[in-house]
């Protein structure tokens, strides 16, 4: 097997648009993913994350560039690659006519697994997903978090070398997200390679060993979450709210406080090594925000610095 389980070089995907120039959904992406690594594609909706995942998953051909999955070209060896992958799509596409156990069993049969092996694997994965007590429940009787865990369990039925997760926790409440994160941490500990797309910066920081920040189909930055924050942001951020009608008016009076000031529609961000000291300077200048918050920098701040836009639009 190659050292990298995924290798992309100058990857491009274009779509024909009637009466207009071709649309480049993915524009010259280059990255590698090592065995057992948790690798993330971070960016807003429409950044090209899902399109990249479809090419990696060997269900969409690339327009140009190079791509190898487990040492194979997906344009030539799609079925062989797909047999070694697990896929968790953005939307749960479970069979509503079947119960939880049957969803796993039937999916295993699609891979040509013997019935006895499917049954054994289904029980193992129900336990992994903490769904043993829901094994006989139809899909419609499951909560959103349970459906998501079942979808992940289904993607593991063939013992994949790589698990692709497209926006794994979109629409879930905080408790369900943390339960799902715990299941994914366990997969990492087993040595499963994870590749996930997300527009949640906290999810990327929690799950990813390394990631690329993508916008409009291009890589804006890449590295570990901590290295990207160190390189592109300050240690802390002071968030101030003076009211949506006053933020832009107050912003010029904050010049020189901290390393950088960003004005958003609902708040002002002051980037500084010491957020509390920055807040003291704000109040010493006679300015009284409606609310203030000091927090550590996040990948959201990295994206804002690189693109001038928020991750979640």
């Amino acid at each position: 097997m190659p050292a990298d389980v995924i290798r992309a070089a100058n990857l491009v995907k274009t779509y024909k648009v009637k009466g207009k120039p071709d649309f480049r959904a993915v524009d010259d992406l280059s990255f590698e993913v090592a065995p057992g690594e948790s690798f993330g594609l971070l960016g807003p909706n429409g950044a090209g994350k899902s399109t990249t995942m479809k090419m990696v998953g060997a269900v969409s051909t690339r327009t140009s560039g190079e791509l190898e999955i487990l040492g194979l070209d997906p344009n030539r060896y799609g079925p062989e690659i797909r047999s070694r992958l697990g896929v968790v799509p953005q939307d749960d596409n479970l069979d509503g006519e079947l119960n939880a156990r049957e969803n796993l069993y039937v999916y295993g049969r699609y891979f040509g697994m013997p019935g006895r092996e499917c049954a054994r694997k289904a029980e193992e994965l129900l336990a992994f997903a903490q769904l043993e007590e829901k094994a006989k429940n139809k899909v419609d009787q499951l909560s959103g978090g349970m459906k998501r865990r079942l979808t992940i369990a289904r993607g593991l039925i063939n013992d994949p070398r790589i698990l692709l997760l497209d926006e794994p926790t979109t629409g879930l409440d905080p408790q369900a997200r943390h339960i799902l994160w715990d299941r994914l941490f366990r997969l990492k500990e087993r040595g499963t390679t994870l590749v996930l797309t997300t527009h949640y910066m906290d999810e990327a920081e929690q799950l990813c060993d390394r990631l690329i920040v993508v916008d409009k189909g291009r890589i804006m930055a890449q590295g570990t979450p901590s290295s990207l924050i160190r390189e592109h942001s300050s240690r802390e951020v002071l968030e101030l709210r003076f009211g949506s009608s006053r933020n832009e008016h107050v912003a010029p009076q904050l010049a020189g406080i901290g390393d950088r000031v960003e004005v958003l529609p609902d708040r002002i961000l002051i980037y500084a090594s010491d957020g509390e000291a920055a807040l003291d300077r704000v109040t010493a200048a006679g300015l009284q925000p409606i609310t203030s918050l000091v927090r550590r920098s996040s990948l959201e701040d990295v994206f804002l610095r690189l693109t001038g836009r928020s991750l979640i639009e």
Side-chain angles (χ1 to χ4, degrees):
M1 293 302 299
D4 293 316
V5 294
I6 300 174
R7 186 184 69 84
N10 309 114
L11 189 62
V12 172
K13 178 68 176 182
T14 63
Y15 292 100
K16 298 289 184 182
V17 181
K18 188 175 181 180
K20 296 181 181 180
D22 290 353
F23 172 68
R24 281 203 170 200
V26 174
D27 190 1
D28 198 33
L29 295 192
S30 297
F31 60 89
E32 301 83 29
V33 181
E37 186 174 28
S38 181
F39 183 83
L41 289 83
L42 180 67
N45 293 331
K49 307 185 302 297
S50 294
T51 302
T52 301
M53 291 286 268
K54 289 178 181 177
M55 288 188 284
V56 171
V59 295
S60 177
T61 57
R62 65 188 181 276
T63 303
S64 64
E66 299 177 12
L67 182 62
E68 286 187 359
I69 314 299
L70 299 170
L72 300 174
D73 182 342
N75 280 12
R76 298 178 59 196
Y77 299 99
E80 292 89 338
I81 291 171
R82 289 192 293 273
S83 71
R84 306 181 198 178
L85 300 180
V87 178
V88 179
Q90 190 170 135
D91 297 315
D92 296 323
N93 56 355
L94 300 162
D95 192 328
E97 298 298 314
L98 304 178
N99 65 32
R101 179 186 286 115
E102 291 166 344
N103 264 277
L104 299 179
Y105 180 91
V106 170
Y107 199 68
R109 296 293 283 165
Y110 289 148
F111 285 94
M113 295 167 57
R116 185 174 297 179
E117 175 64 12
C118 286
R120 183 196 66 79
K121 194 68 178 176
E123 296 306 318
E124 175 187 313
L125 290 171
L126 285 169
F128 170 79
Q130 296 180 314
L131 292 171
E132 302 103 312
E133 296 181 0
K134 302 293 182 180
K136 296 182 179 180
N137 286 48
K138 293 289 184 69
V139 167
D140 290 343
Q141 297 173 309
L142 303 178
S143 69
M146 290 176 183
K147 291 177 184 177
R148 208 67 183 131
R149 298 206 303 273
L150 182 60
T151 304
I152 290 176
R154 188 188 62 179
L156 297 170
I157 196 75
N158 61 323
D159 290 320
R161 292 286 309 278
I162 304 170
L163 182 63
L164 306 178
L165 302 115
D166 196 0
E167 305 285 358
T169 65
T170 295
L172 298 185
D173 62 68
Q175 182 181 12
R177 292 181 75 209
H178 282 281
I179 293 173
L180 195 59
W181 287 353
D182 175 69
R183 299 298 99 183
L184 295 178
F185 275 125
R186 291 171 187 262
L187 287 176
K188 284 181 61 177
E189 291 172 348
R190 294 181 183 183
T192 303
T193 302
L194 305 180
V195 180
L196 65 120
T197 72
T198 183
H199 56 247
Y200 294 131
M201 59 280 184
D202 57 339
E203 184 159 272
E205 289 184 56
Q206 286 283 338
L207 296 178
C208 297
D209 302 316
R210 196 164 51 87
L211 56 89
I212 55 177
V213 180
V214 183
D215 186 34
K216 297 178 181 177
R218 299 186 66 87
I219 293 177
M220 308 301 295
Q222 56 186 312
T224 65
S226 58
S227 69
L228 288 172
I229 291 170
R230 284 196 305 270
E231 182 179 354
H232 297 286
S233 191
S234 57
R235 188 171 68 89
E236 293 185 340
V237 181
L238 170 61
E239 294 192 1
L240 302 173
R241 285 180 168 83
F242 293 91
S244 55
S245 61
R246 294 192 61 226
N247 286 335
E248 285 197 30
H249 175 74
V250 172
Q253 302 175 60
L254 301 172
I257 298 178
D259 304 323
R260 182 168 58 94
V261 176
E262 288 277 1
V263 183
L264 302 181
D266 61 333
R267 64 196 186 278
I268 298 174
L269 306 180
I270 298 179
Y271 291 89
S273 57
D274 186 335
E276 293 291 348
L279 180 58
D280 289 342
R281 292 185 62 185
V282 170
T283 56
L287 299 172
Q288 297 297 324
I290 298 171
T291 64
S292 63
L293 171 68
V294 175
R295 60 170 175 82
R296 69 181 182 90
S297 282
S298 71
L299 289 171
E300 171 82 9
D301 301 299
V302 171
F303 192 82
L304 186 61
R305 176 70 180 272
L306 292 171
T307 70
R309 298 189 294 121
S310 175
L311 272 167
I312 302 177
E313 301 175 312

